[in-house]
């Protein structure tokens, strides 16, 4: 049971980290799928609104200030609720116990198995990233490296227009909007994407045919 719970948590993290899975509900963790596809409008609205408010606050104030104010707000709420329940129990002469008893008894410790599983997922992503960057920077495939260079050049303009926190906010908003838009207009979007993909593939093939370095020789492939 515990092993199943750990796997579920790892799947939850992977679902959020991998943008390619956002548009494939079957590959998403059920909780992530429910949130970003707005299956429960109230729950998704609370998470989206709360998350966006925190990101906006972090863009306007320092991280320390945001953390301090949020912690003070949470502490004020829990203290107020605790006092209210104590007064209510005294007036009604009941003994319901601590109002946060269930939460206090929750096991929040990280087991060695959980840490290892999360580390395994993180290492797999890092290894894939390092391997991909190596083949791009060392020009294993000329066309892929050129496309990567175009992407980097485009990112210089993005960096000039937006700072890191703005990009995070745009990504957060995209997480809660694009998957739902895609689901509602899947057929039309797929048609246009296929046209773009075919055009890019056609151009790529022409470039590879024109540039011999863009193709691997049979000898290189067999080594």
């Amino acid at each position: 049971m515990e092993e199943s719970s750990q796997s579920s948590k790892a799947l939850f993290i992977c679902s959020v980290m991998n943008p390619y899975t956002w548009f494939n509900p079957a590959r998403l963790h059920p909780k992530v799928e429910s949130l970003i596809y707005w299956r429960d409008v109230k729950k998704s609205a609370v998470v989206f609104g709360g998350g966006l408010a925190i990101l906006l606050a972090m863009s306007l104030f320092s991280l320390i200030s945001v953390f301090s104010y949020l912690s003070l707000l949470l502490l004020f709420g829990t203290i107020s609720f605790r006092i209210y329940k104590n007064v209510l129990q005294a007036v009604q002469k009941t003994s319901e116990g601590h109002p946060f008893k269930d939460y206090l008894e929750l096991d929040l410790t990280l087991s060695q198995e959980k840490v290892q599983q999360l580390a395994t997922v993180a290492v797999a992503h890092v290894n894939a990233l390092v391997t991909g960057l190596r083949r791009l920077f060392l020009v294993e495939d000329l066309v892929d490296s050129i496309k990567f260079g175009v992407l980097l050049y485009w990112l210089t303009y993005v960096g000039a227009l937006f700072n890191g926190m703005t990009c995070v906010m745009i990504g957060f908003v995209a997480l809660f909007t694009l998957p739902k838009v895609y689901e509602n207009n899947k057929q039309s979007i797929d048609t246009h994407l296929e046209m773009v993909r075919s055009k890019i593939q056609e151009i790529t093939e022409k470039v590879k045919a024109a540039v011999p370095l863009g193709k691997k020789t049979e000898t290189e492939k067999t080594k």
Side-chain angles (χ1 to χ4, degrees):
M1 189 72 176
E2 183 179 354
E3 186 177 345
S4 176
S5 175
Q6 293 171 9
S7 300
S8 180
K9 290 179 181 178
L11 178 59
F12 183 92
I13 295 173
C14 292
S15 297
V16 177
M17 290 177 60
N18 189 355
Y20 294 105
T21 64
W22 296 357
F23 305 97
N24 189 350
R27 296 181 59 187
L28 287 169
H29 186 282
K31 291 183 179 179
V32 176
E33 189 265 345
S34 177
L35 282 176
I36 68 176
Y37 280 91
W38 297 76
R39 305 305 187 203
D40 187 334
V41 177
K42 290 183 179 179
K43 186 180 293 186
S44 295
V46 168
V47 175
F48 176 69
L52 189 59
I54 292 174
L55 291 175
L56 285 171
M58 290 175 65
S59 67
L60 298 174
F61 307 100
S62 69
L63 178 61
I64 296 176
S65 297
V66 174
F67 175 77
S68 299
Y69 281 115
L70 286 176
S71 298
L72 281 172
L73 183 63
L74 177 61
L75 184 61
F76 176 76
T78 54
I79 291 176
S80 300
F81 186 72
R82 174 73 191 277
I83 294 174
Y84 166 75
K85 293 296 289 187
N86 285 351
V87 172
L88 191 64
Q89 290 177 27
V91 171
Q92 296 179 347
K93 297 181 179 180
T94 59
S95 56
E96 297 179 1
H98 200 291
F100 300 115
K101 181 181 178 181
D102 293 338
Y103 297 100
L104 288 171
E105 293 177 350
L106 284 176
D107 183 15
L108 300 179
T109 58
L110 283 175
S111 66
Q112 185 176 358
E113 290 76 12
K114 290 180 183 179
V115 174
Q116 288 178 344
Q117 190 166 26
L118 292 175
T120 300
V121 173
V123 168
H125 281 83
V126 171
N127 287 339
L129 176 63
V130 171
T131 302
L133 290 176
R134 181 182 63 182
R135 63 179 295 274
L136 290 171
F137 279 108
L138 299 182
V139 199
E140 180 180 336
D141 186 291
L142 181 62
V143 175
D144 286 345
S145 294
I146 291 175
K147 289 191 289 186
F148 181 58
V150 173
L151 174 63
L152 292 177
Y153 184 72
W154 178 76
L155 287 177
T156 61
Y157 286 95
V158 174
L161 295 173
F162 309 107
N163 58 28
M165 185 52 65
T166 303
C167 291
V168 171
M169 284 191 288
I170 292 174
F172 183 77
V173 173
L175 175 63
F176 279 84
T177 54
L178 296 184
K180 189 63 178 179
V181 171
Y182 176 73
E183 184 182 50
N184 293 337
N185 305 275
K186 189 176 186 303
Q187 186 173 0
S188 175
I189 293 175
D190 283 346
T191 301
H192 287 86
L193 285 178
E194 186 58 36
M195 292 172 60
V196 173
R197 190 181 296 111
S198 299
K199 195 65 178 177
I200 293 175
Q201 183 65 27
E202 180 183 344
I203 295 173
T204 301
E205 292 298 330
K206 289 181 179 179
V207 172
K208 286 186 176 182
V211 183
L213 291 176
K215 299 183 290 184
K216 295 180 181 179
T217 64
E218 292 298 325
T219 305
E220 289 176 326
K221 291 181 181 179
T222 55
K223 286 183 178 179

